[in-house]
Amino acid sequence: MDYFLVKSEPFKYSWEQFNKDGETFWDGVRNYQARNNLKAMKKGDLVLFYHSNEGKEVVGMAKVVKEFYQDPTTEDERWVVVDLAPVETFKNPVTLETIKADPLLQDIALVRQGRLSVMPLKKEEFDRIVELGNPE
């Protein structure tokens, strides 16, 4: 299993809307590195959902339910989507500030490549963020 983080501006597509929808295709990616990360996603992989710009926090976990296919919002064959479904809402959203302050998360792509909208995570990074979002 692999782990990823996706970003969405809440006014465009929020975690709350995602939960209401129950499943969505992740579209609008127009960066080659982010697209390649979508292509690397496999069914069952886990994905953290990050509210960018407003909030700047990881708010929940989703899973990949369908692997990449042509982005239906464009005829340009270079762009793809994956289907995601929500898994759980975090009890405590994990802020960017908290992530930056955590010694275990210093090398996370969210800190190193802040503009990237879809990024892989190491299992330890994923687990640490989940632990921060759902403390015992």
Side-chain angles (χ1 to χ4, degrees), residues 92-130:
N92 302 321
V94 183
T95 66
L96 180 58
E97 191 175 283
T98 299
I99 290 168
K100 286 181 173 180
D102 193 302
L104 299 174
L105 299 172
Q106 293 307 298
D107 290 331
I108 193 171
L110 185 63
V111 174
R112 288 185 294 106
Q113 290 182 278
R115 307 236 348 116
L116 193 60
S117 64
V118 179
M119 60 195 67
L121 295 173
K122 295 178 184 143
K123 182 180 185 337
E124 308 78 58
E125 295 167 341
F126 180 89
D127 289 346
R128 178 62 179 148
I129 293 171
V130 170

Side-chain angles (χ1 to χ4, degrees), residues 4-39:
F4 296 87
L5 181 145
V6 296
K7 294 172 158 184
S8 181
E9 296 178 41
F11 77 92
K12 287 186 179 172
Y13 194 73
S14 69
W15 176 252
E16 291 75 20
Q17 186 61 50
F18 182 37
N19 275 281
K20 283 180 192 162
D21 294 345
E23 189 174 305
T24 192
F25 57 84
W26 204 258
D27 67 329
V29 172
R30 298 295 182 267
N31 168 288
Y32 288 104
Q33 188 177 2
R35 180 218 46 203
N36 291 344
N37 290 332
L38 284 178
K39 284 185 166 187

